[in-house]
């Protein structure tokens, strides 16, 4: 098996997995925050968990960016033909603009939940 191809597949896997982890941590922060609003006796424990999940989301975001940069260098061939590649690149720019906005909105959403 070609080591470069294996690295490309592994990079893509880590990228997608980290994206899932990021989303899961953001949702978990919200669920934990709502739980500690319902029962003040668990606030100390849940605040700690919220912060832990927040920093895990930051690690996931860094992994997403790093492996995304790696993907930039692995998809350089006109695999599907010139016209299709031009459309694919345009779609990727739109997708990443939307996803970067989603990351920003996600952090805005949980920031006050975690650091109140």
């Amino acid at each position: 098996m070609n080591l470069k191809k294996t690295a490309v597949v592994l990079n893509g896997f880590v990228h997608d997995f980290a994206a899932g982890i990021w989303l899961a941590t953001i949702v978990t922060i919200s669920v934990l925050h709502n739980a500690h609003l319902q029962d003040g006796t668990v606030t100390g424990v849940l605040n700690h968990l919220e912060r832990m999940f927040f920093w895990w989301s930051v690690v996931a975001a860094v992994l997403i960016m790093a492996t995304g940069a790696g993907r930039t260098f692995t998809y350089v061939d006109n695999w599907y033909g010139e016209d299709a590649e031009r459309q694919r690149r345009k779609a990727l720019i739109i997708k990443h603009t939307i996803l970067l906005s989603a990351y920003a909105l996600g952090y805005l959403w949980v920031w006050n939940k975690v650091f109140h």
Side-chain angles (χ1 to χ4, degrees), residues 58-84:
V58 171
V59 170
V62 169
L63 277 173
I64 293 164
M65 301 295 177
T67 54
R71 279 183 156 185
T72 301
F73 300 108
T74 59
Y75 296 104
V76 294
D77 297 333
N78 285 325
W79 182 262
Y80 301 107
E82 235 178 89
D83 291 337

Side-chain angles (χ1 to χ4, degrees), residues 10-89:
L10 183 61
N11 183 70
F13 173 77
V14 171
H15 183 78
D16 295 341
F17 190 71
I21 295 284
W22 182 87
L23 182 59
T25 58
I26 295 299
V27 171
T28 301
I29 289 167
S30 180
V31 169
L32 290 173
H33 189 74
N34 288 339
H36 95 234
L37 290 177
Q38 297 297 318
D39 184 0
T41 62
V42 296
T43 299
V45 172
L46 294 184
N47 281 343
H48 172 71
L49 289 172
E50 287 174 8
R51 285 181 180 82
M52 183 179 65
F53 277 104
F54 177 83
W55 292 112
W56 286 356
S57 79
V58 171
V59 170
V62 169
L63 277 173
I64 293 164
M65 301 295 177
T67 54
R71 279 183 156 185
T72 301
F73 300 108
T74 59
Y75 296 104
V76 294
D77 297 333
N78 285 325
W79 182 262
Y80 301 107
E82 235 178 89
D83 291 337
E85 283 299 311
R86 194 173 8 263
Q87 291 299 329
R88 186 182 71 82
R89 286 187 181 112

